């Protein structure tokens, strides 16, 4: 999980926040309650990884495992009559 650094343009309050890649950036300063937060751009565009290629490796292995599973289930389901039309519909 990446860490984002935020700074308030209004009161200068700085803090770090663990967020998912998919989460929206914060806007409201927890200190002065103004919508004056900005995400600091540092390594990797404001994202601090735990190591080089951390996310990429994680993502790849997840994706790889998922594909392997899909293939396995496809193979095991080929013998039975019912094959799901699309397995890429489960992204949500
Ligand atoms: Zn503030």
């Amino acid at each position: 999980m990446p860490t984002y650094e935020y700074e308030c343009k209004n009161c200068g309050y700085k803090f770090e926040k663990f967020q998912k890649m998919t989460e929206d950036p914060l806007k409201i300063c927890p200190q002065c309650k103004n919508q004056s937060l900005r995400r600091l751009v540092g390594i990797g565009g404001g994202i601090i990884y735990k190591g080089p290629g951390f996310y990429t490796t994680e993502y790849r292995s997840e994706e790889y495992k998922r594909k392997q599973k899909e293939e396995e289930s496809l193979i095991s389901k080929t013998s039975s009559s019912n094959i799901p039309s699309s397995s890429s519909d489960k992204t949500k």
Side-chain angles (χ1 to χ4, degrees), residues 8 10-13 29 31-34 36:
C8 176
N10 185 51
C11 69
Y13 182 64
C29 172
Q31 186 101 323
C32 65
K33 313 289 182 199
N34 276 311
S36 47

Side-chain angles (χ1 to χ4, degrees), residues 4-83:
Y4 294 96
E5 252 192 292
Y6 286 93
E7 185 181 41
C8 176
K9 282 181 283 182
N10 185 51
C11 69
Y13 182 64
K14 261 190 184 181
F15 66 101
E16 288 179 359
K17 172 91 176 153
F18 282 105
Q19 278 189 302
K20 288 178 190 166
M21 300 282 295
T22 48
E23 270 182 73
D24 287 335
L26 300 177
K27 286 194 181 83
I28 297 168
C29 172
Q31 186 101 323
C32 65
K33 313 289 182 199
N34 276 311
Q35 279 202 14
S36 47
L37 280 185
R38 72 185 179 110
R39 202 150 75 176
L40 295 181
V41 178
I43 305 159
I47 303 162
I48 301 155
Y49 295 112
K50 282 180 180 175
F54 172 77
Y55 179 75
T56 318
T57 316
E58 191 80 340
Y59 180 77
R60 265 195 196 157
S61 63
E62 278 301 306
E63 186 74 14
Y64 182 74
K65 270 188 256 170
R66 208 167 56 100
K67 279 203 173 130
Q68 264 209 331
K69 250 192 182 173
E70 268 174 29
E71 261 172 53
E72 271 171 37
S73 63
L74 258 175
I75 290 164
S76 60
K77 270 172 190 163
T78 314
S79 48
S80 69
S81 54
N82 204 357
I83 300 163

